Amino acid sequence: MQYIAYRTYWRGSLVPPLIDQHITDVATARWGAVRNPRLAEIVRALIGHLHDFARDVQLTEQEWATAMDWLTRAGQISDDKRSELILASDVLGLSMLVVEMNYALHPGATSAAVFGPFHIEGSPELEFGADMAYGVPGEPLYIVGTVRDLDGRAIGGATLDVWQADADGMYEAQLDTAEARLRGKYTSRPDGTYCVRTVAPRGYSIPMDGPVGELISRTGISHFRPAHVHFRISAPGYEPLTTHLFQKNAAYLESDVVFGTKADLVVEFQRRPPGSTPDGRTSDVPWLLATYVFVLQPLP
Ligand code: BEZ
Ligand code: FE
C-alpha cells in the first residue's frame, strides 16, 4: 500500500521518498536560526511553500531555469520609475491580498486599493477646485465631496494626494516630462469638503513590454485596468488611506488585471451641461461630476 502510494505520487521516479523532504527539513532548520524571529518565521515559511510548490508541479530543471531567467529579466527591466516585480505581484493578486490583510476595514470606512507603480512624491499643492490636468486634453471632471470619520464628523485639513493617467493611459512617471501633469495635492476645508478638477480618466493597459506582459500574452487574461483616479488620503490621528475611485460602467471593471475594483469605490460620473461648476466658475463645455465621501478610520 505504502509502495503504491509512493509510486503514484512520484510517477515511477526512483528517488527515495525521504531525500527531498530531508532537504526541506534541513533548510528550514538552518534558516530558523536567523536572529530576527520575524525574519526567521518568514524565510522558513517561504522555504516550506517553495519546496512544496516544486514538489506539487514536479518542477523540471528546464522549468526552474526558465523561471530564474524570467526573474532576472524582471529585475533588469526595472529602474527607479518601474518595478516589474511589483507589477508581477499586482497581476498575481498578491499586492491586493496584502492590502486587504493589512487594512482591517471598519464597517463604513472606505476600502483601500493597490498603490500602483506610478505615484510621484511631492505633487504641487492645489487650492479647492484647482485644475490638476494643467492643460492635458480631456473631458473636464470634477470630483467633489467630503472627508469624514466613522461617526460622520468632517475631517478638515486632510491631504488628498491625487494622480491619474492621461487619455492614452500614460502616467507622468512613464513620460519624459519635467512638468507636473495629472497630479496634485488638495487639502480638505474645515467642513471636510474637497474639490478636485481634472479630466476624465480612461481604462489603460499595464506595461506589456516586459516579462510580465510576456507571461500575460501567453494567456487569455485581460491586461487592462478600468478607468480610475488614485487617491492617498492622510490626516493626523487617522490611518492613511490609499485607494482609487472607479468610473461606474467603465470597461474592464469586472476584469481589473490587478484585482483592485471594489463595489464601494465605483462612482457615477454624471454628465452636466455647460454652466456653473462646483468651484464657482462657469464651464463653456459639458463636464462630468463625481461625488464621493471618503471615510477614514482611526489609527489602531
Ligand atoms: C495603477 O493603477 O496605476 C497600476 C496598479 C498596478 C499595476 C499597474 C498600474
Ligand atoms: Fe492607475
Side-chain angles (χ1 to χ4, degrees), residues 91-137:
V91 303
L92 294 176
L94 178 62
S95 308
M96 203 56 202
L97 173 66
V98 173
V99 167
E100 301 258 297
M101 286 189 309
N102 286 280
Y103 194 76
L105 196 63
H106 286 69
T110 302
S111 296
V114 281
F115 187 50
F118 300 126
H119 175 262
I120 297 178
E121 288 296 341
S123 281
E125 290 182 13
L126 301 178
E127 296 293 320
F128 186 90
D131 189 1
M132 70 169 213
Y134 313 108
V136 172

Side-chain angles (χ1 to χ4, degrees), residues 167-179:
D168 296 325
M170 298 301 278
Y171 284 83
E172 182 192 321
Q174 296 170 284
L175 301 170
D176 197 12
T177 166
E179 304 291 310

